[in-house]
Amino acid sequence: MLQTENIYIFLIILPVVSFLYSSVGHGGASGYLALMALFSFAPESMKPTALLLNLFVAGISFYYYYKEGFFNKKLFISFAIASIPLAFIGGMIEVDASIYKKILAVLLIFAILKMLNVFGKESTTIKELKLWQGLVVGGIIGFFSGLIGIGGGIILTPVILLLHWGKMKEAAAVSALFIWVNSASGLIGQFNIGVTLEKASFLLVAIALIGGILGGYYGSKKINNQNLQYILAFVLMIACVKLFFT
């Protein structure tokens, strides 16, 4: 993994990505996967590595948002009941590399739109989430989370905001823990079929945590660095195009 060409550039960008994702309550898997695709990482190492990074960065992000009092337990449970087992099932499924890249490219579009604040406006009127809605939405997102190697927050947050099930910071807190449980479940699914983690993955965790800790702390308060988010959106667009056409 660390023998990848231009690895030092990757290691410099990695904490920036984790900072930006953590600041909005996300683990950053879609960003990590996009970076790994840009730097031509082996497809078989991308999924478990992204899930591992998610565990640490999303966990840190959740801690800060929870500490600030933004966590809605009922909202989280409604999504998590179905997402956890389906993330495990998705994690056990191995997808052909070319199909994997196309699905990831589609999911990256959600990340790009989030970074461009297309889903950035919160409603003053909050609607109650029905249990069946949480089960359906959580289950679908959970399955694709395990299948592709993301936590699902990049999809869940826009859904919560678009359907007025919660406010911005509340959506971030719920998404952070949602990402954590799905990443853990998906990673266990990977281990169940014999996938192993490279030792270098834990070095990436240490580097990503630097950005994750800073992003979680400032994001749970007042930070809104729009210029950096635009830059990340641009990087994700490049990765998206590469995934579609390679």
Side-chain angles (χ1 to χ4, degrees):
M1 181 187 294
L2 294 183
Q3 281 71 46
T4 303
E5 189 176 356
N6 297 319
I7 188 62
Y8 295 108
I9 299 175
F10 174 88
L11 296 177
I12 291 170
I13 299 174
L14 180 62
V16 177
V17 172
S18 64
F19 173 88
L20 289 172
Y21 274 84
S22 179
S23 70
V24 293
H26 295 160
S30 56
Y32 310 141
L33 288 169
L35 274 184
M36 286 188 269
L38 283 174
F39 284 85
S40 303
F41 277 60
E44 61 271 14
S45 70
M46 289 170 59
K47 181 173 171 179
T49 301
L51 288 171
L52 179 69
L53 290 169
N54 250 6
L55 278 178
F56 287 89
V57 177
I60 288 292
S61 183
F62 173 71
Y63 167 76
Y64 284 114
Y65 275 92
Y66 179 84
K67 190 178 177 182
E68 294 293 321
F70 295 115
F71 181 59
N72 184 325
K73 183 179 178 181
K74 183 180 178 182
L75 191 63
F76 165 74
I77 291 174
S78 298
F79 295 122
I81 291 172
S83 77
I84 294 173
L86 285 170
F88 175 78
I89 293 171
M92 291 195 297
I93 299 174
E94 287 298 316
V95 185
D96 178 78
S98 60
I99 297 174
Y100 176 86
K101 289 179 180 179
K102 301 300 183 292
I103 297 174
L104 175 58
V106 171
L107 294 179
L108 280 180
I109 294 172
F110 283 91
I112 293 167
L113 294 176
K114 181 67 180 70
M115 289 300 164
L116 294 176
N117 275 340
V118 174
F119 307 113
K121 294 181 180 179
E122 60 184 11
S123 174
T124 54
T125 304
I126 302 301
K127 299 178 181 178
E128 184 177 354
L129 171 68
K130 294 180 174 62
L131 180 60
W132 70 266
Q133 294 173 318
L135 293 174
V136 172
V137 171
I140 293 172
I141 297 175
F143 176 75
F144 281 100
S145 297
L147 184 71
I148 302 302
I150 61 174
I154 207 70
I155 304 173
L156 182 64
T157 297
V159 169
I160 291 175
L161 294 175
L162 285 171
L163 298 178
H164 311 311
W165 288 334
K167 295 195 173 185
M168 183 76 73
K169 300 280 187 180
E170 191 176 47
V174 168
S175 293
L177 188 56
F178 182 81
I179 290 166
W180 195 94
V181 296
N182 286 338
S183 298
S185 184
L187 195 56
I188 292 169
Q190 285 274 279
F191 292 154
N192 197 54
I193 58 171
V195 172
T196 57
L197 287 164
E198 295 183 38
K199 291 180 180 178
S201 300
F202 294 95
L203 173 60
L204 300 187
V205 166
I207 294 172
L209 271 177
I210 297 170
I213 291 170
L214 293 173
Y217 175 77
Y218 288 108
S220 64
K221 298 184 183 298
K222 294 182 179 180
I223 193 171
N224 182 23
N225 197 323
Q226 193 60 62
N227 290 331
L228 282 176
Q229 290 186 20
Y230 286 149
I231 293 170
L232 179 58
F234 178 70
V235 172
L236 294 177
M237 285 179 192
I238 295 173
C240 193
V241 170
K242 181 177 180 180
L243 288 165
F244 265 123
F245 297 103
T246 58

